[in-house]
Structure formats: structure tokens, C-alpha cells
Amino acid sequence: MKILVVGSGGREHAIVWAVSRYGHRVYCAPGNAGIARLAECVDIEPLNIPALVNFARRQKIDLTIVGPEAPLVAGLADELEKQGLKVFGPKSAAAQLEGDKSFAKRLMLRYRIPTAQFEVFDDYERAIRFLTGRRLPVVIKASGLAGGKGVEIARSFEQAQQVLSGYMREDRLGAAGRTVVIEEYLTGEEVSIIGLCDGKRVRFMIPSQDHKRLLDNDEGPNTGGMGAYAPVPVVTEEVFRQIVERVFEPLLKCFAQEGIDYRGAIYAGLMLTDDGPKVLEFNCRLGDPEAQAILPLFEGDFAEVCRQCAEGGLSGQDADIPPADRWALCVVLASKGYPGSYEKGLPISGEVEDGENLLVFHAGTRMENGRLVTSGGRVLAVTGLGRSLPEARQRAYYGVGRIHFPGMQYRHDIGFRGLRHISEG
Ligand code: AMP
Ligand code: GLY
């Protein structure tokens, strides 16, 4: 097939890697320096929908695989389909599951999908009255897309007030923050369950676990994700069964009853609480950096499964069985200052190359005068593979040790929860 991958991060590099292994011809818009080694990069931004549709039509692209959420929410899949082009990624109405948190929460309530208790507000004064005298912490979420910056855990009334004022009165996140969801604070271990959906059925990928906080021991600010590993020991067969029964079965029923034609990746960010799994969020795409851990474990032709989803005819197994002896662990290398502002254009040196049981995915990189330089907050994602979690971890950090750029920061403890589970048996 001729495949167009949309996006420019580590997730998209992992998608391009998985697709090109099966001999498909791959284009990527806009791509990055690592992707350019495997695919023909096309200089079109993911939100330039007319240009993407034009390109796909002219090049007779067989399937477009959309990486990030923003173009999906903006209607890229709708426009491609109007031209008779196949696309893996939901249409705008279905992508609202990620694009509009208040919509997602209301659907979860209606279909009894377990999630934190919540209220929705579009009036600042009402939100403040609701919070007065309430037990803390609470979680305050901008309803719209905020690129991972729209969730705050408020531990004091003053902090809650500041966050609400920033979102709702000062428009810190623009339109995305004018409506907020205030929800109950949940505790437990977080896991990412990603399914490939053809509208009616889901094929589950291997469970993975992200590390959202910037610093070791889950300290520091939230980020897009600093590392991931798969499979996840805490997701036992029994836990997985609960997740399917309580979350995905009602979700598919919801799609059917609400007329939501969902074709693409569906990502449930879950908290495993003492009362069972609860949904923190749905995303309409693969996770980043989860994709860099789970795609190297994917058995078979990923593009072919995406095509089946796009056509509404998913066949084969319901779930990818976590292999007993194949593990992946991915460490993200970020720029100094990330997730705040950071410098770009810094030279990357060392061995930025795949090796034995080692994959180096590019995220924010580009070539400048023949040199590889940084061009984003998350710069590279180094994935180690192994027969055990400790082995995968060892490979990943070995790979990290070969790479350098000024101000490079990364977490040293990716996989710690999994390792703890394993050592506690
Ligand atoms: P979200 O974008 O909704 O996944 O939120 C980002 C991060 O905030 C999650 O990965 C969690 O670590 C945290 N979070 C979100 N909702 C809650 C909640 N209700 N209770 C505790 N932590 C939460
Ligand atoms: N890694 C979290 C996300 O992709 O949303």
C-alpha cells in the first residue's frame, strides 16, 4: 500500500517504522529527521487539511494514518472520506471523545462507564461556589484540547481559584479552557489500554504504562509523557477482563446507540483504583510515548490492521496477547526547560542509531547544515527490547547513555512500578 502518516513526533516515527517494515511505501507529513530515513517527508503541517487531502488524492494514497488528535478533531478524516480516501482515525464527531472532555464525561455517565465523579462548569462564579467547602484535592480539567497542559490537581482552595481564574477568566488556554470539568481525585496505578476499532469491534494492543511527571519518583510537572513500558504486570488477565467488560463493552454499545462511527485508535487512560478501573480520559489516537513501546511488540502488519479498521472489517484476534518473553521500555530524552519553554537547534551527538534490541525514535529533531539538532521539547525516545522487563530497561538506558545534547533531561526510573510488581511477585 501507499501510506501517508500524519504527524512529526516519536509516535509517528514508531508508526512509520512499523509500517515500512512490511514493505509499504510511506510518506509522512511533515515528519522529522529520523522519519526521513524511512519515509518521504512532505512539508505539510497536520492542521493544513486541504493540503493533506490534495496530496493524498494526487498521490493516490491507499491509507492515511493520523498520529495526533488535533487534525482529527478539526475534521481531517471527514475531508479525506469525502474524497473517497481511506483513513485510520475517527471523524470529527467521534474525535470529540478526546476533543471535548465534558462530552466524554456525559457519555460515560449515560453508559455507566466507571469514571471519577464530576461536574461541568462554564461559569466561573458557579465553579467557585461548587468548590467552597469541598474536600480537596480536586482535579480541574479544561474541557477542550490543551496539548497536555489542561489538567491541574488543586490541593488548596486558593490554588483551585487560581487555576479556574486562569482557564475561565484570563483565557490562558483560549477557548479550550472556557468550559471546565471538576472531578474527584482518584488514586491508584495508571495504565493505558489502546484498541484499534473498526466501528463495531476492537482489537486490543498490549497494555502499557506511561510516566506523565517530569522527574523521578513521579515528581515535578505533568508532561506529554516521559517514558513507557509494555506489557504491564499490574494488568493481569483478570484486570484486563474487567477493563474490557466495564469500559470497552459499554463504550461499543455507546458508539452503536449514539451513531458514532469510530474507526481508529481508541485510547483509555485508566486509574486502577480499589473500586476497579476508572477512566481518566479517552484519546482518539495512539499514545506518545506508549506507541514507541507497543508498536515494536506488535505482531503482524500494522498498516493492514489499520486498513481493516478504516474499511469497517476488522478480522482476527480480539487482543494481542502479552508475550511472556518480549518486553519493551522507552525513555524520552527532553530539552532543558520542557514542559515549559526550551531552546531549539542544539546539536545532538553520539550514536543516535538503532542497535541490537535498541530502537531510537526521533520526536523533535531536524537536520541543519548536515547536522542533527533539537527542534522540540521531547527530542528522542529510546526503546530497549528484552526477554524480561529488567533486560529491556537495561537496553534502553544503554541506548540513552550513547546520546548527548546540551541540557538533555530524562527520567532514570522508567518502569519502576512494573519492576516493583515483578520483585513482589
Ligand atoms: P488526563 O489528560 O485527563 O489523562 O490527565 C492528565 C493526568 O492527570 C493523568 O494522567 C493523571 O495522572 C492525572 N489525573 C487526571 N484525572 C485525574 C483524577 N481524576 N484523579 C487523579 N489524577 C488525575
Ligand atoms: N502519553 C499520553 C498521551 O499520549 O496522551
Side-chain angles (χ1 to χ4, degrees):
M1 285 189 278
K2 257 182 161 179
I3 309 273
L4 170 63
V5 175
V6 176
S8 62
R11 167 184 50 211
E12 288 75 26
H13 190 175
I15 294 171
V16 166
W17 174 84
V19 169
S20 59
R21 285 172 78 204
Y22 279 78
H24 301 292
R25 172 114 189 248
V26 192
Y27 298 85
C28 187
N32 61 36
I35 291 173
R37 297 179 190 173
L38 300 172
E40 191 173 317
C41 290
V42 200
D43 191 15
I44 306 175
E45 285 305 311
L47 281 170
N48 190 347
I49 293 177
L52 288 170
V53 173
N54 237 327
F55 177 83
R57 220 182 36 201
R58 269 201 335 264
Q59 292 293 328
K60 299 194 168 52
I61 295 292
D62 297 300
L63 176 70
T64 300
I65 301 177
V66 185
E69 63 280 10
L72 293 167
V73 172
L76 175 57
D78 307 61
E79 295 305 317
L80 286 165
E81 281 194 12
K82 272 187 207 154
Q83 301 292 331
L85 295 161
K86 285 189 198 108
V87 52
F88 179 77
K91 291 199 278 265
S92 177
Q96 294 308 317
L97 213 51
E98 173 167 1
D100 181 352
K101 285 188 196 280
S102 59
F103 167 78
K105 292 293 283 191
R106 289 184 180 120
L107 280 184
M108 286 188 253
L109 190 64
R110 194 174 312 150
Y111 289 88
R112 298 176 190 275
I113 297 173
T115 188
Q117 284 182 25
F118 71 100
E119 296 281 339
V120 178
F121 297 94
D122 52 19
D123 180 77
Y124 172 77
E125 302 296 338
R126 273 193 54 232
I128 291 292
R129 274 202 302 279
F130 170 80
L131 278 180
T132 308
R134 199 145 279 269
R135 217 177 58 187
L136 298 171
V138 291
V139 183
I140 303 175
K141 298 184 175 183
S143 189
L145 285 187
K149 295 199 172 76
V151 177
E152 296 280 351
I153 295 165
R155 297 182 187 277
S156 69
F157 182 76
E158 289 68 35
Q159 189 195 351
Q161 207 170 14
Q162 259 179 21
V163 172
L164 286 173
S165 175
Y167 288 179
M168 303 181 85
R169 293 171 127 187
E170 292 142 40
D171 270 0
R172 253 189 40 214
L173 301 172
R178 279 178 215 147
T179 299
V180 300
V181 175
I182 300 183
E183 67 178 38
E184 170 198 10
Y185 177 74
L186 300 174
T187 54
E189 200 165 320
E190 280 185 59
V191 294
S192 306
I193 303 294
I194 300 171
L196 309 174
C197 185
D198 74 349
K200 296 191 176 67
R201 267 191 64 198
V202 172
R203 167 175 168 167
F204 294 98
M205 300 181 82
I206 291 170
S208 56
Q209 185 169 61
D210 189 11
H211 299 63
K212 290 246 166 78
R213 303 292 207 96
L214 179 69
L215 304 173
D216 289 5
N217 289 318
D218 283 341
E219 284 169 16
N222 259 325
T223 68
M226 293 299 290
Y229 67 94
V232 187
V234 73
V235 183
T236 58
E237 267 180 54
E238 169 59 20
V239 170
F240 185 70
R241 193 186 55 78
Q242 277 183 11
I243 293 169
V244 172
E245 277 176 12
R246 297 185 195 177
V247 176
F248 283 91
E249 284 174 9
L251 184 66
L252 285 174
K253 191 170 139 202
C254 160
F255 289 167
Q257 294 196 359
E258 304 286 326
I260 297 174
D261 182 21
Y262 197 106
R263 300 177 191 207
I266 173 79
Y267 164 138
L270 300 162
M271 188 77 90
L272 303 180
T273 73
D274 291 340
D275 299 329
K278 294 195 179 178
V279 176
L280 297 175
E281 61 169 345
F282 284 118
N283 293 327
C284 60
R285 51 177 172 78
L286 300 181
D288 187 337
E290 288 94 327
Q292 294 92 305
I294 60 180
L295 282 171
L297 300 177
F298 190 83
E299 302 263 359
D301 183 348
F302 182 68
E304 171 57 22
V305 179
C306 292
R307 185 191 62 80
Q308 290 176 5
C309 288
E311 290 179 352
L314 195 53
S315 67
Q317 71 221 55
D318 290 329
D320 297 340
I321 312 295
D325 60 349
R326 291 186 66 224
W327 296 74
L329 185 141
C330 163
V331 180
V332 170
L333 309 182
S335 296
K336 182 177 171 195
Y338 175 79
S341 58
Y342 47 81
E343 213 179 313
K344 295 183 188 178
L346 301 172
I348 305 172
S349 56
E351 290 178 70
V352 193
E353 301 292 337
D354 295 351
E356 195 188 342
N357 288 323
L358 187 62
L359 296 162
V360 178
F361 295 114
H362 290 228
T365 68
R366 66 185 152 80
M367 294 303 285
E368 202 178 79
N369 305 325
R371 279 191 329 176
L372 185 66
V373 300
T374 66
S375 71
R378 290 190 289 181
V379 177
L380 295 161
V382 181
T383 299
L385 300 165
R387 281 167 304 178
S388 65
L389 186 56
E391 207 178 288
R393 178 179 184 284
Q394 191 271 329
R395 284 314 289 169
Y397 281 102
Y398 163 75
V400 168
R402 307 198 305 176
I403 298 173
H404 179 76
F405 56 86
M408 172 171 122
Q409 54 167 343
Y410 61 91
R411 278 182 64 159
H412 305 80
D413 64 347
I414 300 302
F416 76 96
R417 287 197 174 80
L419 293 169
R420 197 168 62 201
H421 273 282
I422 291 167
S423 71
E424 287 168 0

